[in-house]
Amino acid sequence: MKVIVTGGAGFIGSAVCRHLIRSTDWSVINLDKLTYAANLASLASIAASPRYRFVQADIADRETVRALFEQVRPDAVLNLAAESHVDRSIDSAGDFIHTNIVGTFVLLEEARRFFDRLTPNRRKAFRFHHISTDEVFGELGPAGKFVESTPYDPSSPYSASKAASDHLVRAWGRTYGLPVLLTNCSNNYGPYQFPEKLVPLMILRALKGETLPVYGAGDNVRDWLHVEDHAAALLTVLKNAEPGTTYNVGCSAERRNLDMVEAICDLVDEIAGPLASGPRRGLITFVADRLGHDKRYAIDADKLTTRLGWKPAYDLDSGLRQTVEWYLGNEAWWGPLVKRGDALKRLGTAKVGVQSVLIDRGQLMAPKSARV
Ligand code: NAD
């Protein structure tokens, strides 16, 4: 098997590359543009493998994607390349439209072109697996969970761009017969996550004794899954799911944001030792809520567990402890990202106005990236 993983230098993509090299004999070609969110250091453990190869390119660069398909002749594509941070999408959505929508369109077109020329046997085996989020479903009230047939109702520019890409993927399956798979996963946490996201942001700010900004009253609820469980779930779906199907991925680990931050404070106090000023819970400050902030997400992953037999290895408490321990022991990984400047800053206030519109226009006409 030869698999192209797009976005393999990101948080989940790098976990997928590591998982594939570790637990299969497949070859993995990591196609990544290397945006601010990428970090090749996340792939250090597999970089020397003869079954791993990295290619720097934009998934929206049609010529390069076409050349890569022809050179690699993959059996599957796992599409994880994306702009993924909701707050950034609120300030400036151009890159989200470019990568999440246009990029997915280009990948689908080139996958179809390649697929149409395959022998019948290879066509039977080929898969295009698109990785998406539960945020496409919008927000839940206090009860209920998202199932695979929940109607799409995205709230943020990020989730709207992901919803658009999901629709494109299904359309390419139904219209052109491309054997597509789709997974919608809950919030991920774990090692190697860029420190702008809630869990690493709070761990690193808590470690430094900085204030811990929590949106609104901290009562927004998210459903949390360890990134290694997500990677294993993706392999299960890729190997076993019927083309044209969708699976939700999650492990019923709902928690209010405030409870999550308090748990992180307690773990950092315990593992790194207390601050002279007192318990880190005292660093929590409530800030104006995120625009369009969905109240609650919760995933029903019964289809995945009952039909395909996937089970998570981590519960939230053990996974969070492992994650805090990892960040506290791996400053060599996150230190350079924090030094770059914007990783621990507040974004998403939409106070960028006209400039952001101009930047967006420029981003939509982004120059071509490196060739294969
Ligand atoms: P990430 O931001 O950590 O990584 C994204 C990667 O994609 C980066 O390495 C970046 O360089 C690359 N990339 C961006 N634009 C590209 C382009 N035009 N061409 C090639 N590469 C490009 O994101 P993540 O958290 O690892 O998320 C991966 C996927 O999983 C996304 O599709 C996201 O929507 C989905 N997802 C994420 C979560 C989560 O909690 N993080 C939950 C569910 C689904």
Side-chain angles (χ1 to χ4, degrees):
M1 281 278 281
K2 278 179 279 180
V3 183
I4 294 178
V5 176
T6 74
F11 170 46
I12 304 172
S14 66
V16 169
C17 290
R18 293 190 304 270
H19 186 71
L20 290 177
I21 293 294
R22 207 171 45 224
S23 61
T24 71
D25 59 1
W26 303 355
S27 295
V28 175
I29 297 87
N30 171 7
L31 167 65
D32 197 296
K33 184 180 175 180
L34 298 187
T35 68
Y36 79 95
N39 192 348
L40 289 175
S42 309
L43 298 148
S45 63
I46 59 166
S49 166
R51 292 186 288 116
Y52 171 77
R53 179 183 158 202
F54 172 67
V55 176
Q56 183 178 2
D58 186 333
I59 57 164
D61 176 351
R62 185 182 287 264
E63 275 174 50
T64 308
V65 170
R66 181 172 297 184
L68 191 66
F69 267 102
E70 281 171 7
Q71 206 182 79
V72 171
R73 305 194 58 74
D75 301 284
V77 177
L78 280 145
N79 183 27
L80 294 113
E83 286 296 330
S84 68
H85 191 39
V86 175
D87 287 342
R88 283 180 191 264
S89 81
I90 292 169
D91 287 344
S92 180
D95 279 348
F96 291 73
I97 307 303
H98 172 81
T99 292
N100 300 0
I101 305 179
V102 179
T104 301
F105 160 70
V106 169
L107 272 183
L108 284 166
E109 278 293 82
E110 291 310 314
R112 176 165 81 95
R113 186 178 181 277
F114 171 73
F115 173 76
D116 283 349
R117 290 166 170 72
L118 289 176
T119 59
N121 268 349
R122 284 210 59 195
R123 266 200 227 190
K124 240 191 224 167
F126 186 82
R127 297 288 183 270
F128 185 101
H129 184 163
H130 181 66
I131 284 70
S132 192
T133 163
D134 59 355
E135 300 193 27
V136 297
F137 299 123
E139 69 175 358
L140 289 166
K145 291 186 174 200
F146 299 129
V147 291
E148 284 78 0
S149 57
T150 301
Y152 277 32
D153 187 19
S155 302
S156 70
Y158 162 67
S159 54
S161 70
K162 290 299 292 183
S165 66
D166 292 9
H167 290 318
L168 291 176
V169 169
R170 290 201 177 92
W172 260 244
R174 289 185 203 155
T175 305
Y176 304 113
L178 190 69
V180 297
L181 300 168
L182 223 144
T183 45
N184 295 87
C185 187
S186 59
N187 277 41
N188 283 213
Y189 69 96
Y192 303 103
Q193 186 169 30
F194 190 76
E196 67 188 351
K197 301 279 169 63
L198 181 78
V199 170
L201 180 77
M202 294 300 160
I203 295 171
L204 298 185
R205 289 186 69 99
L207 184 65
K208 290 160 174 267
E210 293 174 0
T211 55
L212 304 175
V214 171
Y215 288 135
D219 56 357
N220 298 66
V221 174
R222 297 292 179 264
D223 199 345
W224 292 94
L225 182 70
H226 195 284
V227 68
E228 285 160 24
D229 282 331
H230 188 187
L234 294 180
L235 182 57
T236 300
V237 171
L238 180 63
K239 277 179 165 170
N240 302 301
E242 284 296 310
T245 54
T246 294
Y247 285 84
N248 279 351
V249 187
C251 70
S252 295
E254 285 183 58
R255 203 164 275 190
R256 294 188 316 155
N257 286 346
L258 180 58
D259 298 331
M260 198 72 176
V261 176
E262 286 180 346
I264 289 169
C265 288
D266 297 347
L267 283 165
V268 178
D269 280 343
E270 180 196 322
I271 301 166
L275 292 169
S277 54
R280 285 179 169 82
R281 284 183 182 219
L283 300 169
I284 294 173
T285 52
F286 295 96
V287 298
D289 207 354
R290 174 191 264 170
L291 300 168
H293 203 182
D294 289 332
K295 201 76 194 164
R296 174 172 167 260
Y297 301 143
I299 272 274
D300 179 340
D302 275 3
K303 183 176 167 189
L304 176 61
T305 51
T306 54
R307 291 198 198 170
L308 303 186
W310 169 81
K311 275 193 189 66
Y314 290 92
D315 60 38
L316 184 49
D317 290 334
S318 65
L320 201 54
R321 177 174 287 277
Q322 181 257 11
T323 303
V324 172
E325 282 168 351
W326 187 87
Y327 275 92
L328 268 42
N330 283 279
E331 186 170 352
W333 183 87
W334 54 261
L337 305 177
V338 170
K339 272 206 195 95
R340 246 163 43 188
D342 62 346
L344 302 183
K345 291 215 178 93
R346 167 131 206 230
L347 300 167
T349 51
K351 283 193 185 135
V352 276
V354 174
Q355 202 190 354
S356 109
V357 175
L358 294 175
I359 290 168
D360 284 354
R361 288 196 189 130
Q363 284 167 339
L364 281 169
M365 296 179 288
K368 282 190 173 167
S369 61
R371 293 273 174 272
V372 178

